[in-house]
Amino acid sequence: MDTHAAYKSRWLPWVLLLPSFVILILFLYYPTIETFVLSLYQVAFLGLSKSFVGIENYKILFTDPEYLQIFKNTVIFAFFVVIFSMAVGLALSILANQKVSGWRIYRLLLIWPYALSPAVAGVIFLFMFNPQSGIVNYLLTITLGIAPDWLTNPTLAMGLLVFVAVWKNVGYNVVFYIAGLQNLPGEVLEAALIDGATPWQRFWRVTFPLLSPMTFFLLIINTIYAFFEAFPFVDLLTKGGPSNATNILIFNIYRDGFEYYKTGMAAAQSVILFIAVVFLTILQFRVGEGRVHYGG
């Protein structure tokens, strides 16, 4: 039986796809190509004029200690966000997967932070961790007698950004991990239980390997999230400070492009960020795909 769709006109499929092609070209392919081209130019204020400089923008970036520090900040931030977001998400999903009284409410409470706008989440934590009037320092003062200056200490500021980013994204991981846990083959888990495996052994030798496709998928998604979606947290909480200690690539691109009007330099940074994320994604596929177990 021929299952292929039949069209009276050979052009009809292309006509139906035309709106999608127009959107992709206008909002994806053209801006991407334009960014690559713009990174080879030195652009005057508001783009009134531009001169071709080749790869000079890239040379300046890779020889600038401040930019290299920003790149290092981004790698550190992304590493801890990915690790903690996935680890906490997996732990919470295992707990939420238990059939206990009120389990639906627990799952909802775990997931709702992901529904918040990043800007709203940033404002909430800005008020909570305000050194003078925040609830966190108030509780620390009355219990431990300390009041850390979260936003002016480089280590504490970076830790706060990581914490906010993990809190915001952990619900996303919980949703997928719960879905993965509920689709595990029950006979395999029962066999491990009958064989006398401890809960810890059942997790590491049965549950976690069977969740590897989901873990691999979330590893890619969380990496992209850490590199591209942390801008509101930096903008609202630290502005890249103190002394560029929390400045990351996506925030620096915005600042150079829209505050300092160094459009060519911002475009070059966008290209570098794009290539870095593509490289990490390919590396994760090369290294992680061989360790993924797809159960039959």
Side-chain angles (χ1 to χ4, degrees):
M1 181 183 295
D2 186 8
T3 59
H4 292 84
Y7 295 96
K8 295 182 179 180
S9 171
R10 59 179 298 191
W11 298 107
L12 181 58
W14 297 104
V15 172
L16 296 175
L17 289 172
L18 182 61
S20 298
F21 286 147
V22 171
I23 293 173
L24 287 173
I25 291 172
L26 289 179
F27 297 102
L28 180 61
Y29 300 132
Y30 173 75
T32 301
I33 295 173
E34 185 67 16
T35 300
F36 274 86
V37 172
L38 197 59
S39 70
L40 304 177
Y41 286 82
Q42 187 177 50
V43 184
F45 180 71
L46 296 180
L48 298 176
S49 65
K50 61 181 182 179
S51 57
F52 182 78
V53 294
I55 61 172
E56 188 63 29
N57 288 332
Y58 296 96
K59 289 181 180 179
I60 294 173
L61 289 173
F62 284 114
T63 55
D64 182 8
E66 181 177 326
Y67 182 75
L68 296 178
Q69 179 61 42
I70 293 170
F71 199 95
K72 179 182 176 181
N73 293 343
T74 306
V75 172
I76 294 173
F77 173 80
F79 174 80
F80 283 109
V81 168
V82 172
I83 294 298
F84 284 118
S85 185
M86 294 183 64
V88 173
L90 178 57
L92 292 176
S93 63
I94 291 174
L95 294 175
N97 195 46
Q98 307 297 317
K99 293 298 187 292
V100 296
S101 178
W103 60 270
R104 288 186 176 87
I105 297 176
Y106 299 146
R107 291 182 185 178
L108 180 63
L109 293 176
L110 289 173
I111 294 169
W112 77 265
Y114 181 71
L116 285 178
S117 164
V120 173
V123 171
I124 291 173
F125 278 88
L126 179 63
F127 284 113
M128 288 177 59
F129 285 86
N130 185 286
Q132 284 74 41
S133 59
I135 184 65
V136 174
N137 271 16
Y138 172 75
L139 294 175
L140 289 175
T141 300
I142 63 176
T143 56
L144 301 176
I146 59 174
D149 200 345
W150 299 96
L151 303 179
T152 59
N153 182 291
T155 303
L156 292 178
M158 178 59 79
L160 177 59
L161 283 181
V162 171
F163 179 76
V164 176
V166 170
W167 178 85
K168 175 67 176 66
N169 199 53
V170 73
Y172 182 90
N173 296 324
V174 168
V175 170
F176 281 90
Y177 270 132
I178 288 179
L181 288 168
Q182 292 181 343
N183 286 279
L184 294 180
E187 61 274 9
V188 178
L189 298 174
E190 291 175 3
L193 182 63
I194 293 172
D195 288 341
T198 64
W200 190 251
Q201 289 173 329
R202 292 199 302 271
F203 172 76
W204 281 112
R205 298 185 181 182
V206 181
T207 302
F208 190 69
L210 290 176
L211 286 174
S212 56
M214 191 67 70
T215 300
F216 181 65
F217 164 76
L218 289 175
L219 179 63
I220 303 297
I221 297 301
N222 279 266
T223 300
I224 296 173
Y225 165 80
F227 274 94
F228 287 104
E229 298 185 35
F231 168 80
F233 309 134
V234 180
D235 185 46
L236 290 167
L237 291 171
T238 66
K239 300 291 184 183
S243 302
N244 265 344
T246 60
N247 194 5
I248 59 177
L249 290 175
I250 192 68
F251 180 75
N252 200 62
I253 291 171
Y254 162 80
R255 191 167 63 177
D256 278 354
F258 297 98
E259 291 185 3
Y260 303 152
Y261 298 103
K262 297 189 291 186
T263 310
M265 198 67 70
Q269 294 177 58
S270 299
V271 172
I272 293 172
L273 178 59
F274 171 78
I275 293 174
V277 173
V278 169
F279 172 77
L280 284 175
T281 304
I282 294 173
L283 182 64
Q284 289 170 349
F285 269 98
R286 289 290 183 91
V287 175
E289 185 69 18
R291 301 183 181 181
V292 173
H293 171 76
Y294 296 97

